[in-house]
C-alpha cells in the first residue's frame, strides 16, 4: 500500500500537539508494533482527542448499521457476505464534463491511499474511532470535472435485493436505494474521505465494501456505503433518512451536542465498547471534534435550523 507523503493536511499540521504526542499510543493500539518514526506520513489524526484510541476491530466490523442487510446491529456482519463486490462499476452523471460508467479500479488508479484515524458518531448516540484507509473524496470527484452548476453531489448505494435481504424485507420503511448527499464544498473539504479499507485490510462488506463515504464531522448516516452512483446536481438531493423522518434527520446532519434528537439527547455519546455497567459515556463535541477544520463551511448558517 502506498501512502502519500506531504499530503495536505497532515496530522502534524492540523492536529493539536497532544494528539501528535499521542501517536505512539495510537500506533500501539493498532498493534502495528511500530515506533513513531515509521508512522506513515499520510496518516491523518485530525480531530482526535487525547483519550481517543481505535475501537477494537471486532466491534468496528461486528456492530454495524447497514439496513440493506437488516435493521439489527449484528445483521450486516452475518449477511453482508451475500453481496458480490467484484467487479464493481460506478455510474457518474449530472453536472460534470466526464460522465458515464466506470470500473472502480480505474477510478482509484493513481490516487494516493491514505490512512485516516477518525472519530465516528452515529445519530443513535454511540461512537467509535476507526482507522480507515482510502482516498480523499476530492481526488475522486475532481476526475469528473464537475461544472459550475454542480452545487451538490449525491451518492447512491447498491440496490440488489437478490443479495441484500434487507431490501427484500417489507418493513424497513426505507425507499431503496439508500442515497446521501453533500454540498460540493463539503465534498471537497480535505477531511471528506472515501474508505476502501480499515485496520489495514480491504473494507469488509458489512462496512460498505468496496468503497464507502466517510464524513467524520457529520452523523454516521451521511457516510453512505457500497456506492454505485455519483450524481452532480444543482439542487439539494433527497437523502434517505430525511425522506424517512424529516423531523428527526436533516440534510446537513452536522454533529451538534446542543441540538437534541426529538427522542434522545445528543449531548453525550457511548463510546464502544459500551455496556450497561460501563456505558463509557463522554461529551459529544461540536462537529464531532472537527470544528476547527470545518466550522467555516457553515458561516452565516443557523446551525440549529440546518440540522
Ligand atoms: N447504504 C447504507 N449506508 C449506511 C447505512 C445504511 O443503512 N445503508 N447506515 C448508516 C449509519 S446510520 C451509520 S451509523 C454508518 C455505520 O457504519 P459502520 O457500520 O461502518 O460503523 O453507516 C451509514 N451508512
Ligand atoms: Mo447511524
Amino acid at each position: 500500500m502506498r501512502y502519500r507523503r506531504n499530503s495536505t493536511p497532515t496530522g502534524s499540521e492540523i492536529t493539536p500537539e497532544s494528539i501528535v504526542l499521542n501517536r505512539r499510543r495510537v500506533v500501539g493500539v493498532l498493534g502495528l508494533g511500530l515506533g513513531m518514526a515509521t508512522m506513515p506520513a499520510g496518516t491523518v489524526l485530525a480531530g482526535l482527542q487525547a483519550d481517543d484510541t481505535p475501537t477494537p476491530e471486532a466491534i468496528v466490523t461486528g456492530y454495524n448499521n447497514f439496513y440493506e442487510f437488516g435493521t439489527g446491529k449484528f445483521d450486516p456482519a452475518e449477511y453482508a457476505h451475500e453481496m458480490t463486490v467484484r467487479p464493481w462499476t460506478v455510474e457518474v452523471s449530472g453536472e460534470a464534463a466526464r460522465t458515464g460508467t466506470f470500473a472502480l479500479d480505474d477510478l482509484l488508479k493513481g490516487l494516493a491511499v491514505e490512512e485516516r484515524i477518525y472519530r465516528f458518531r452515529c445519530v443513535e448516540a454511540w461512537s467509535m474511532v476507526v482507522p480507515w484507509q482510502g482516498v480523499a473524496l476530492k481526488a475522486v470527484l475532481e476526475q469528473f470535472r464537475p461544472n459550475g452548476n454542480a452545487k451538490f453531489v449525491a451518492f447512491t448505494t447498491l440496490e440488489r435485493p437478490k443479495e441484500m435481504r434487507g431490501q427484500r424485507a417489507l418493513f424497513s420503511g426505507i425507499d431503496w436505494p439508500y442515497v446521501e448527499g453533500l454540498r460540493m464544498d463539503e465534498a471537497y473539504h480535505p477531511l471528506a474521505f472515501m474508505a476502501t479499507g480499515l485496520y489495514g485490510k480491504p473494507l469488509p462488506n458489512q462496512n460498505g465494501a468496496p468503497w464507502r463515504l466517510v464524513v467524520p464531522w457529520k452523523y454516521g448516516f451521511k457516510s453512505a456505503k457500497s456506492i454505485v452512483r455519483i450524481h452532480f446536481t444543482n439542487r439539494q438531493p433527497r437523502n434517505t433518512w430525511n425522506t424517512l423522518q424529516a423531523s428527526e434527520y436533516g440534510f446537513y446532519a452536522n454533529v451538534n451536542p446542543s441540538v437534541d434528537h426529538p427522542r434522545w439527547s445528543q449531548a453525550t455519546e457511548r463510546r464502544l465498547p459500551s455496556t450497561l455497567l460501563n456505558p463509557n459515556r463522554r461529551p459529544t463535541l461540536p462537529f464531532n471534534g472537527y470544528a476547527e477544520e470545518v466550522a467555516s463551511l457553515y458561516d452565516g448558517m443557523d446551525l440549529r435550523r440546518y440540522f
Side-chain angles (χ1 to χ4, degrees):
M1 184 172 296
R2 292 182 308 111
Y3 289 99
R4 182 165 60 169
R5 292 206 161 263
N6 303 319
S7 58
T8 39
T10 65
S12 56
E13 278 160 24
I14 59 175
T15 59
E17 196 178 296
S18 62
I19 301 311
V20 176
L21 292 175
N22 202 35
R23 280 184 173 200
R24 186 180 295 279
R25 190 154 74 94
V26 172
V27 172
V29 169
L30 277 169
L32 301 176
L34 306 172
M36 206 157 14
T38 49
M39 191 79 172
T43 298
V44 172
L45 300 172
L48 285 198
Q49 310 298 303
D51 59 346
D52 281 334
T53 53
T55 303
E57 183 180 357
I59 294 172
V60 175
T61 62
Y63 182 96
N64 301 97
N65 273 333
F66 200 166
Y67 277 31
E68 283 82 344
F69 297 104
T71 54
K73 292 287 181 281
F74 308 108
D75 289 338
E78 187 168 355
Y79 300 119
H81 69 90
E82 295 172 359
M83 170 173 66
T84 312
V85 298
R86 296 277 167 206
W88 194 267
T89 54
V90 180
E91 184 198 333
V92 179
S93 58
E95 302 287 351
R98 189 170 166 238
T99 56
T101 302
F102 302 87
L104 175 59
D105 293 338
D106 292 336
L107 297 182
L108 295 175
K109 210 176 285 169
L111 300 188
V113 174
E114 296 173 53
E115 167 125 37
R116 307 269 183 114
I117 304 178
Y118 278 163
R119 299 159 64 88
F120 188 90
R121 170 61 156 83
C122 176
V123 73
E124 297 162 335
W126 52 264
S127 67
M128 306 188 289
V129 175
V130 184
W132 304 102
Q133 293 80 43
V135 293
L137 181 59
K138 181 177 183 178
V140 173
L141 298 181
E142 273 178 345
Q143 307 179 74
F144 310 118
R145 283 175 275 125
N147 64 43
N149 291 328
K151 303 293 182 216
F152 296 87
V153 54
F155 302 88
T156 305
T157 296
L158 180 69
E159 182 174 19
R160 195 183 286 159
K162 278 192 172 143
E163 297 182 1
M164 301 175 119
R165 58 178 62 217
Q167 291 180 338
R168 302 197 295 266
L170 296 171
F171 50 81
S172 75
I174 291 182
D175 180 15
W176 308 111
Y178 194 101
V179 183
E180 260 308 334
L182 296 170
R183 230 169 47 195
M184 276 307 286
D185 59 342
E186 296 179 311
Y188 271 26
H189 190 281
L191 292 180
F193 199 56
M194 280 290 227
T196 55
L198 58 80
Y199 269 100
K201 299 168 190 160
L203 203 59
N205 282 12
Q206 60 267 36
N207 294 94
W211 71 340
R212 62 89 60 85
L213 207 53
V214 181
V215 193
W217 68 94
K218 293 176 178 286
Y219 290 118
F221 68 82
K222 296 297 293 182
S223 294
K225 296 178 168 182
S226 304
I227 288 164
V228 293
R229 184 169 183 228
I230 296 173
H231 180 67
F232 297 97
T233 164
N234 201 9
R235 293 175 43 178
Q236 183 177 306
R238 84 170 177 91
N239 62 307
T240 292
W241 285 95
N242 181 249
T243 308
L244 195 62
Q245 193 52 271
S247 63
E248 300 186 2
Y249 310 103
F251 176 80
Y252 282 91
N254 293 316
V255 174
N256 189 344
S258 62
V259 177
D260 286 338
H261 185 279
R263 291 182 280 129
W264 57 83
S265 166
Q266 295 291 29
T268 64
E269 63 201 57
R270 288 168 287 110
R271 171 63 51 83
L272 304 184
S274 161
T275 63
L276 280 178
L277 283 179
N278 178 13
N280 204 11
R281 200 170 278 287
R282 62 189 66 212
T284 286
L285 302 176
F287 298 101
N288 198 27
Y290 300 92
E292 207 180 302
E293 291 87 358
V294 303
S296 65
L297 287 170
Y298 310 101
D299 277 349
M301 287 173 63
D302 177 352
L303 293 175
R304 290 185 159 266
R305 207 173 103 74
Y306 289 91
F307 65 93

